[in-house]
Amino acid sequence: MMRWMSSLAGGVLLLAAMPLHAAWPEKPVRVVVPFAAGGPADLTARLIFNKLSEKWKQPVVIDNRGGAGGNLGTALVAKAPADGYTLLLTTSVFVCNPSLYKDTGYDPFRDFAPITLAGVSATVVSRHPSYTAVQNMQDIVREAKAAPIPFASPGIGTAGHLAGELFRNITKANLQAVPYKGAGPAMAALLGGEVRLGFTAVPPVVALARSGKLVPVAVTSLKRIDVLPNVPTVAESYPGFEVDNMYGLLAPKKTPAALIRKINADTLAVLQAPDLRARFVQDAFEVRGNSPEAFEKYLRDEVGKWAKVVKESGVRVE
């Protein structure tokens, strides 16, 4: 009798919970982007969640919470109610920062429930037009063995910074990271000749390359990208080299599994929208989309990969 009553009570609780999940969302959803407005992560979030807002018939508020290399906004979501109304759209700093910082304020697996890997984007290695000694990645290695080469990146722990560190580790070239406070300052330094080499996001380089203000040398994806079809990959010279900046969607850890599945399914659906995919091609963004389980495996692999790079590079942020 006790077992029957326990089962009945469990069933009643389940039925009571089902309408709540089925009705979600009943109010605006907040998506925290742990970076300033106007950057690649902010743009990606707005493109995806404009579509999801239409699908959900509720407003989606993009909440830009920059600071501490992405840690402030990320930690905010880690402590948010696990009800599906606060989500995180983040980048590769999510998997790099635990190795770079003594205390990030969050644990990527204890505090978060993965939803999906929305997509990835490459980093482009580019040079100032006056740096004619460099035409390819082998030239960079040769030049850097003769004298140190500083390179611009959007900041410590960004995909550009760590792509440069990984290339340095593999080739033993004497590359020296110069982290700027964002993509804008890094591009300005490269354009002004303050540094002659940069590891940065692709979109701003495309227009500058067309006008001759910058020269792209290679991209860090495993295959060439549509917006720079004549630019080789680093892997064409150094097989296996790959650095993707990921854009992933996560929720606080105890968010109900049924809700995670719904948000996952809805996100995968909007990622197939032709107009969205066309826009992403322009931004050198490769749509992925996967299950929560596959995304968690991806995150664990990336945490391990970048922990090794950080250890070998000796880079730390106190």
Side-chain angles (χ1 to χ4, degrees), residues 127-128 131 150-153 176 178 180 185-186 188-198 214:
R127 64 171 176 85
H128 191 273
Y131 197 14
F151 71 90
S153 80
Q176 297 181 344
V178 183
Y180 289 86
L190 189 54
L191 286 168
E194 185 178 315
V195 289
R196 296 186 294 172
L197 195 70
L214 284 180

Side-chain angles (χ1 to χ4, degrees), residues 4-315:
W4 178 83
M5 291 180 67
S6 176
S7 299
L8 179 61
V12 169
L13 288 173
L14 180 61
L15 288 171
M18 283 176 67
L20 175 65
H21 297 161
W24 182 96
E26 296 179 300
K27 62 182 182 179
V29 176
R30 177 175 65 150
V31 178
V32 175
V33 177
F35 309 100
D42 177 62
L43 175 62
T44 300
R46 292 178 190 279
L47 288 171
I48 293 172
F49 282 96
N50 281 345
K51 292 284 188 184
L52 284 171
S53 178
E54 295 172 7
K55 190 175 186 67
W56 292 338
K57 296 179 172 52
Q58 287 287 349
V60 175
V61 179
I62 304 299
D63 186 359
N64 297 98
R65 295 295 185 102
N71 288 334
L72 291 182
T74 306
L76 178 70
V77 178
K79 298 176 178 63
D83 56 7
Y85 288 101
T86 301
L87 305 174
L88 174 72
L89 190 137
T90 189
T91 68
S92 290
V93 298
F94 184 80
V95 292
C96 299
N97 283 359
S99 299
L100 285 166
Y101 290 80
K102 185 176 180 180
D103 181 14
T104 60
Y106 69 91
D107 181 280
F109 304 109
R110 184 190 64 229
D111 296 330
F112 287 92
I115 297 174
T116 192
L117 172 63
V120 298
S121 64
T123 291
V124 59
V125 185
S126 53
R127 64 171 176 85
H128 191 273
S130 66
Y131 197 14
T132 55
V134 166
Q135 300 295 323
N136 52 51
M137 297 306 290
Q138 293 97 325
D139 289 342
I140 292 174
V141 173
R142 185 196 66 242
E143 289 283 302
K145 286 185 176 178
I149 300 179
F151 71 90
S153 80
I156 294 175
T158 60
H161 172 220
L162 292 177
E165 294 290 353
L166 178 59
F167 186 72
R168 180 171 71 89
N169 291 354
I170 289 172
T171 62
K172 310 306 178 187
N174 192 357
L175 295 174
Q176 297 181 344
V178 183
Y180 289 86
K181 293 183 178 180
M187 294 304 299
L190 189 54
L191 286 168
E194 185 178 315
V195 289
R196 296 186 294 172
L197 195 70
F199 285 70
T200 61
V202 172
V205 173
V206 174
L208 294 167
R210 288 172 183 157
S211 63
K213 293 179 180 178
L214 284 180
V215 180
V217 178
V219 292
T220 64
S221 49
L222 272 183
K223 59 183 181 181
R224 296 191 184 195
I225 58 178
D226 292 341
V227 290
L228 294 171
N230 297 321
V231 177
T233 66
V234 178
E236 288 175 42
S237 300
Y238 298 91
F241 186 95
E242 179 184 17
V243 176
D244 286 321
N245 189 24
M246 74 98 174
Y247 295 85
L249 183 61
L250 302 102
K253 183 64 175 182
K254 294 184 180 179
T255 303
L259 200 45
I260 294 291
R261 292 287 178 192
K262 173 175 172 51
I263 299 170
N264 172 272
D266 290 348
T267 305
L268 296 190
V270 303
L271 285 173
Q272 299 305 313
D275 59 334
L276 190 62
R277 294 179 76 91
R279 176 57 189 272
F280 280 149
V281 168
Q282 294 177 22
D283 294 336
F285 181 97
E286 180 187 339
V287 173
R288 293 284 178 90
N290 58 5
S291 68
E293 295 79 10
F295 186 31
E296 179 170 356
K297 181 182 184 306
Y298 173 92
L299 292 173
R300 290 188 182 278
D301 290 345
E302 288 290 291
V303 166
K305 172 183 176 177
W306 293 114
K308 184 173 183 291
V309 172
V310 168
K311 181 178 179 180
E312 290 177 354
S313 301
V315 181

